[in-house]
């Protein structure tokens, strides 16, 4: 994991507890809740890359099937699979195909690139705190027709300020809130993208709704209040999404 993130969470938990071992335990729990809790059945990055490379050689349909199979191993992308094509087509309808995309706290979202309506020779930059995941994503990007790179980054302390046509912040804000309640607002303000696609889960990892959609909608409304941005709302079967137009360039 990004050293800055581990250091910050560890310092916070150590300040709250007298015993070192209790602080270590609490730090591990907080980091797991924000990152590791979403992996389903473990990760097999080497095998996945081999499967993707073999599928790429068989053509686009096989490659898409391989991407879908791997996305099922992460809770966030697994929930999106039933509406994958609809999600991007609907949420980004009417936008010119983006030439540069920034994916914040990406997880396995880059594997949805075959469904993302990009401009020819587009550039795609992915950020996450998980170093092993980022190495996998970086290798994956070499298999798709984009100019791409992946970077380990603690977006809580260091939100990216890359200029882009589109920033993806998919189901990331609840995780950031757990680490720093001010992180979401700081991230949205810092992103130098004309359009920002933000989404939230509508069910818990256990499958319960618990009023999550209403809670997150209110949370997002508070985040964007008084900023002068236009917002387009989309409710999908498994996800609540907002397309923000920050009006900062073409």
């Amino acid at each position: 994991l990004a050293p800055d993130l581990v250091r910050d969470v560890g310092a916070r938990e150590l300040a709250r507890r007298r015993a070192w071992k209790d602080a270590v335990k609490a730090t591990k729990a907080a980091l797991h809740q924000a990152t590791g809790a979403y992996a389903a059945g473990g990760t097999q990055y080497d095998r996945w890359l081999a499967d993707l490379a073999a599928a790429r050689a068989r053509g686009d349909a096989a490659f898409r099937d391989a991407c879908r199979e791997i996305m099922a191993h992460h809770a966030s992308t697994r929930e999106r699979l039933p509406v994958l094509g609809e999600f991007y087509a609907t949420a980004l309808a009417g936008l010119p195909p983006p030439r540069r995309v920034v994916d914040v706290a990406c997880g396995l979202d880059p594997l949805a690139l075959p469904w993302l309506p990009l401009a020819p020779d587009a550039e795609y930059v992915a950020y996450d705190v998980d170093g092993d995941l980022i190495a996998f994503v970086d290798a994956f990007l070499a298999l798709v027709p984009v100019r791409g790179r992946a970077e380990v980054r603690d977006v809580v302390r260091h939100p990216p300020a890359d200029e882009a046509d589109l920033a993806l912040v998919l189901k990331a804000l609840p995780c950031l809130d757990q680490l720093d309640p001010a992180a979401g607002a700081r991230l949205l303000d810092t992103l130098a993208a004309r359009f920002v696609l933000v989404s939230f889960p509508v069910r818990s990892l256990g499958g319960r709704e618990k009023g999550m959609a209403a809670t997150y909608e209110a949370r997002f409304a508070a985040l964007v209040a008084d900023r002068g941005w236009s917002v387009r709302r989309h409710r999908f079967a498994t996800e609540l999404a907002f397309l923000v137009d920050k009006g900062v360039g073409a």
Side-chain angles (χ1 to χ4, degrees), residues 177-195:
D177 281 344
Q178 294 178 35
L179 300 169
D180 180 352
R186 187 164 58 243
L187 172 65
L188 293 178
D189 284 337
T190 302
L191 286 170
R194 167 67 185 270
F195 296 100

Side-chain angles (χ1 to χ4, degrees), residues 74-247:
H74 192 280
S76 177
T77 46
R78 182 177 65 247
E79 291 170 350
R80 192 175 299 126
L81 289 177
V83 296
L84 185 57
E86 174 194 0
F87 179 81
Y88 291 105
T90 301
L92 303 178
L95 271 63
R99 301 181 300 273
R100 194 168 195 275
V101 177
V102 172
D103 193 339
V104 180
C106 65
L108 290 178
D109 290 334
L111 273 73
L113 269 168
W115 290 266
L116 197 61
L118 298 177
D121 196 34
E123 183 178 6
Y124 188 96
V125 182
Y127 295 107
D128 203 279
V129 295
D130 186 330
D132 291 338
L133 168 68
I134 284 297
F136 167 72
V137 169
D138 205 43
F140 166 79
L141 291 173
L143 299 174
V144 293
V146 300
R147 293 178 292 118
R149 64 180 175 87
E151 179 183 316
V152 176
R153 190 183 189 104
D154 173 12
V155 299
V156 173
R157 286 188 61 190
H158 305 292
D162 316 47
E163 291 188 3
D165 301 305
L166 173 67
L168 301 175
V169 187
L170 303 181
K171 298 185 186 174
L173 293 186
C175 299
L176 301 185
D177 281 344
Q178 294 178 35
L179 300 169
D180 180 352
R186 187 164 58 243
L187 172 65
L188 293 178
D189 284 337
T190 302
L191 286 170
R194 167 67 185 270
F195 296 100
V196 183
L197 181 59
V198 181
S199 76
F200 297 89
V202 296
R203 295 181 180 84
S204 68
L205 290 177
R208 293 179 295 171
E209 292 195 13
K210 304 187 298 184
M212 288 175 60
T215 298
Y216 286 138
E217 185 155 10
R219 165 66 173 146
F220 185 72
L223 279 176
V224 299
D226 303 321
R227 281 177 164 81
W229 302 336
S230 67
V231 178
R232 198 165 74 194
R233 176 189 184 276
H234 299 282
R235 172 65 188 263
F236 299 93
T238 61
E239 200 160 347
L240 181 64
F242 301 92
L243 181 69
V244 180
D245 183 349
K246 297 182 71 174

Side-chain angles (χ1 to χ4, degrees), residues 32 35-45 48 71-78 108 130 205:
H32 174 75
T35 59
Y38 299 90
T43 54
Q44 303 175 56
Y45 293 131
W48 292 350
M71 283 190 283
H73 289 269
H74 192 280
S76 177
T77 46
R78 182 177 65 247
L108 290 178
D130 186 330
L205 290 177

